Amino acid sequence: MKPGDGVETYEAEAQPRLGFFTDTSVCIGCKACEVACKEWNLVPEDGLAWTGHSYDNTGELNANTWRHVAFIEQQAPDPIKQGKQDFRWLMESDVCKHCTHAGCLDVCPTGAIFRTEFGTVVIQDDVCNGCGYCVTACPFGVIGKRERAAASSPAGAGRTSGQSPDVLQTAVASDGLGAITKRELGGDGGMHKCTLCYDRLQNGMEPACAKACPTDSIQFGPLDELVERARERCGDLVEAGVSEARLYLADENDGIGGAGAFFLLLDEPEVYGLPPQPIVPTKNLGTIWGAAAVAAGALAVGVAAAFLRGEE
Amino acid sequence: MSATSPTDALSYYGRPIIKEPVWETDIPLYFFTGGLAGASDLLALGAQLSGNHRLRVSALAAAAAGAAISPYFLIKDLGRPLRFLNMLRVFKVTSPMSVGTWIFSAESATTAVAAACELFSVMPRLRVTAQFFAGLIGPAQATYTGALVAQSVVPAWHEARRELPVLFASSASASAGGAAAILTPAEHAGPARRLGIIGGVAELAASKLMEWRLGKLVGSVYHEGEAGKYTRLATASTLAGTALMALAGRRREGAAAAGTLLLTGSLCKRFAVYHAGKQSARDPHHTSIPQKERGGRAVTQPSSRTGNGSSPSPTTR
Ligand code: SF4
Ligand code: SF4
């Protein structure tokens, strides 16, 4: 896999690219990853509601859910025990893809989003101004906004219900001025997503979710090793008769240049809420600026034309 | 292989694949005020070059008003408004918002200088120079916002990347022409009227072209829900404003009515684009179906070592 965009600026300090291989064929839907992530990263509560969508009550990745376990119930022969069941579960722990060409990073106008020495993509909370551009540029809908807590709004409003007033106070007071705590809690108005546990990586530890996963559905390590292992695993599954096994985002020639977090899936990506052929919008940057230049030229011509007939 | 209609296409409980933009209505309001300022600055420069003093003052007033109110919308929409200045720590061509922040800063600064000199009748040479630069930056200011929304994964925006900048430029011209025609006595307002008409016609044409190019699935979002409401309003206002400007623009009341209609049409067009983006982001099929039709290599299957003669895919496709 190619290195992530921008990693070359680290020169000698660049590290081997690290990532996740999420093998959904062994996921048991225990959500240990979701919990471990919340605990380690102090990610706030995401609302306590039932979605009615199988066992999935977090629904999606967003500012306050950095690992999300999707649950799909299907009428189908079991992929392992052929012919024994007419029902199967698909479970998948989703996460930020740490794209090789990351849309979020490309559009961030403050430089808050950066490429780490490990090739991962991280938002610096103390730089982000909450413009929200990254949210519109992620092909996977990963990044979300922690809505600012309205001082007067009743508890339960927005995503910050359950935060103690003190925590909200700290978050608001720390905006732009004064000391910033390592993690701001509650409605700080900023954007948040998985950091691939940057702090743990810097200390030679594996990310919390991978550490907690009891079935090794989430595997962590140098990306090249993971890709090799994943190809083998996928080949084995197909050989064993699981013909629908496929790798997702493991090809560096796809629309995002391959991902630092890729997946083994047992159905079409859309079934898991993933885009089938994601592309980073920056791929079309030339067209976009070209169209803007043409439009600016046309505007100048239009104004000139308006003066051509002289004064009436 | 790909599904042809949303009803039989796959999704995860119908949930969106991408996130709906978190921007609020400040953003389309800024697109409008920023566009008005940009095109008005160029109109003012044209008037300066052609010696139309009266028109220059009107267009400069519209540009100054647009440039003065824009930061309010821009900053208010930030999740952390106090950190607005963080955008001035970097310059990134991959981020039209970053480029645009610099364009807007330069445009509003030059406009402010020109307007201040005009207001206090001081330093005419500085005023002329400032107006010159403001006029040069104007077209960039009026179009970068189209590039900004196009540089996203929102289907109704990204797939319209070729048309959105020209749509925004046309819309800006219509509003600038309309505003100057309202503010200027008819005998001096000829160029403003013509700019309003050119902008109005171009806005209508660019909208049609955009919807046609977007195709049925994504393009129809401009005619549904909130977006549809604003599209209808924009089309009606711009059509009426353009026609009225052509027919009755030489009369002061006619110009005032036509200018107001053009301004309304331009504002509504920005809201139509804004809502279309939100609606299109909410629909997983707007993201998945065009992607499947395009094809690619996101999904790969290493060949098994012994070949597989076993079960067909059990998926619901
Ligand atoms: S998945 Fe989205 S948030 Fe994560 S690196 Fe890629 S573009 Fe950024
Ligand atoms: S919201 Fe923050 S992280 Fe996202 S693009 Fe804006 S400044 Fe960058």
Side-chain angles (χ1 to χ4, degrees):
Chain A
M1 195 77 82
K2 284 177 288 193
D5 284 346
V7 112
E8 66 282 355
T9 56
Y10 287 95
E11 294 171 357
E13 282 163 51
Q15 303 290 315
R17 188 169 178 191
L18 297 176
F20 288 130
F21 164 41
T22 306
D23 178 355
T24 69
S25 68
V26 291
C27 178
I28 55 170
C30 70
K31 301 189 191 176
C33 50
E34 280 194 23
V35 176
C37 175
K38 286 232 180 223
E39 291 281 333
W40 181 264
N41 293 302
L42 299 179
V43 178
E45 178 234 300
D46 195 12
L48 294 171
W50 277 268
T51 60
H53 299 155
S54 190
Y55 281 65
D56 179 2
N57 288 319
T58 39
E60 60 180 21
L61 291 172
N62 61 35
N64 297 338
T65 302
W66 296 357
R67 267 277 177 192
H68 162 244
V69 182
F71 289 78
I72 299 116
E73 302 177 24
Q74 282 184 340
Q75 296 300 315
D78 185 279
I80 313 290
K81 292 178 278 174
Q82 296 276 323
K84 289 219 171 158
Q85 258 177 296
D86 61 354
F87 171 86
R88 73 167 176 168
W89 289 99
L90 295 180
M91 288 165 267
E92 178 241 6
S93 179
D94 199 8
V95 71
C96 167
K97 317 302 180 285
H98 296 276
C99 311
T100 304
H101 310 303
C104 62
L105 193 159
D106 285 345
V107 303
C108 176
T110 62
I113 304 187
F114 75 110
R115 179 80 56 186
T116 73
E117 64 272 35
F118 305 105
T120 56
V121 177
V122 174
I123 305 179
Q124 300 169 84
D125 284 350
D126 52 347
V127 179
C128 168
N129 70 5
C131 72
Y133 202 1
C134 51
V135 174
T136 69
C138 170
F140 304 94
V142 167
I143 302 187
K145 180 179 188 179
R146 270 183 206 159
E147 289 297 344
R148 207 163 245 284
S152 55
S153 76
R159 296 246 179 232
T160 51
S161 59
Q163 293 292 317
S164 76
D166 301 356
V167 173
L168 295 181
Q169 206 66 45
T170 316
V172 173
S174 68
D175 182 34
L177 311 161
I180 313 253
T181 50
K182 179 169 160 286
R183 298 274 193 279
E184 293 170 317
L185 300 183
D188 59 1
M191 310 298 145
H192 299 267
K193 73 167 191 75
C194 160
T195 68
L196 218 135
C197 285
Y198 189 31
D199 51 349
R200 292 176 63 96
L201 297 200
Q202 284 174 315
N203 289 287
M205 297 193 284
E206 74 178 312
C209 55
K211 186 91 192 162
C213 179
T215 64
D216 261 357
S217 170
I218 300 174
Q219 300 178 28
F220 164 79
L223 197 55
D224 288 330
E225 278 175 35
L226 291 179
V227 171
E228 207 172 299
R229 201 185 305 163
R231 292 217 172 103
E232 214 166 287
R233 167 73 180 156
C234 193
D236 286 350
L237 278 173
V238 171
E239 195 179 321
V242 189
S243 62
E244 64 274 24
R246 70 206 75 187
L247 295 180
Y248 178 65
L249 306 179
D251 188 329
E252 62 180 17
N253 297 311
D254 67 24
I256 57 165
F262 65 98
F263 302 79
L264 187 155
L265 304 178
L266 297 176
D267 204 336
E268 303 287 316
E270 308 96 287
V271 170
Y272 300 89
L274 297 165
Q277 300 294 348
I279 60 159
V280 61
T282 317
K283 268 222 153 141
N284 293 314
L285 189 69
T287 313
I288 292 167
W289 280 129
V294 169
L299 174 55
V301 170
V303 172
F307 282 96
L308 260 191
R309 281 220 256 140
E311 298 306 301
E312 285 171 13
Chain B
M1 203 56 136
S2 70
T4 47
S5 98
T7 41
D8 61 9
L10 302 169
S11 77
Y12 183 67
Y13 299 104
R15 300 189 74 103
I17 292 176
I18 57 168
K19 283 267 177 301
E20 183 179 327
V22 293
W23 296 328
E24 293 180 17
T25 48
D26 303 302
I27 295 303
L29 283 168
Y30 165 67
F31 291 167
F32 171 72
T33 56
L36 172 66
S40 294
D41 262 324
L42 187 60
L43 182 62
L45 176 60
Q48 174 170 301
L49 295 175
S50 66
N52 185 338
H53 168 75
R54 190 58 194 75
L55 177 61
R56 181 182 62 72
V57 174
S58 306
L60 176 56
I69 187 126
S70 292
Y72 170 76
F73 297 128
L74 268 186
I75 295 174
K76 185 164 150 275
D77 200 64
L78 295 177
R80 292 154 159 176
L82 289 176
R83 296 193 195 164
F84 173 71
L85 291 175
N86 281 7
M87 287 199 272
L88 298 178
R89 351 165 18 250
V90 280
F91 176 83
K92 281 165 82 171
V93 285
T94 55
S95 172
M97 191 184 286
S98 167
V99 176
T101 304
W102 291 100
I103 293 176
F104 177 70
S105 304
E107 204 249 350
S108 53
T110 45
T111 307
V113 170
C117 294
E118 179 68 43
L119 194 60
F120 301 110
S121 308
V122 290
M123 297 187 275
R125 279 233 227 97
L126 177 63
R127 193 206 71 217
V128 169
T129 315
Q131 187 64 69
F132 179 74
F133 284 109
L136 279 190
I137 305 162
Q141 166 67 27
T143 47
Y144 92 81
T145 44
L148 190 154
V149 291
Q151 166 72 339
S152 73
V153 294
V154 176
W157 294 343
H158 188 69
E159 302 305 330
R161 56 189 172 273
R162 289 183 187 81
E163 293 83 25
L164 275 173
V166 76
L167 174 64
F168 277 30
S170 319
S171 179
S173 312
S175 64
I182 296 173
L183 298 172
T184 317
E187 63 269 32
H188 300 292
R193 286 196 296 272
R194 285 193 288 275
L195 183 63
I197 294 167
I198 294 171
V201 171
E203 184 184 319
L204 292 165
S207 302
K208 279 281 156 258
L209 178 67
M210 176 178 76
E211 287 168 26
W212 176 73
R213 286 275 283 268
L214 279 174
K216 214 165 149 214
L217 176 65
V218 178
S220 61
V221 81
Y222 281 89
H223 294 283
E224 290 160 6
E226 285 291 287
K229 220 162 69 189
Y230 283 107
T231 299
R232 283 193 295 280
L233 259 171
T235 310
S237 305
T238 305
L239 205 58
T242 310
L244 196 59
M245 191 63 93
L247 297 173
R250 283 183 186 77
R251 295 218 316 274
R252 195 68 202 261
E253 319 80 65
T260 310
L261 282 167
L262 285 173
L263 285 163
T264 312
S266 171
L267 179 64
C268 291
K269 184 52 50 177
R270 312 310 174 102
F271 272 83
V273 171
Y274 163 78
H275 285 292
K278 289 211 158 201
Q279 289 165 212
S280 142
R282 282 201 289 267
D283 188 334
H285 303 124
H286 281 207
T287 298
S288 65
I289 291 176
Q291 285 189 7
K292 281 211 110 146
E293 283 167 1
R294 198 172 54 226
R297 318 186 49 154
V299 180
T300 48
Q301 197 177 47
S303 51
S304 80
R305 275 162 287 180
T306 61
N308 83 88
S310 53
S311 74
S313 165
T315 63
T316 50
R317 200 170 50 190

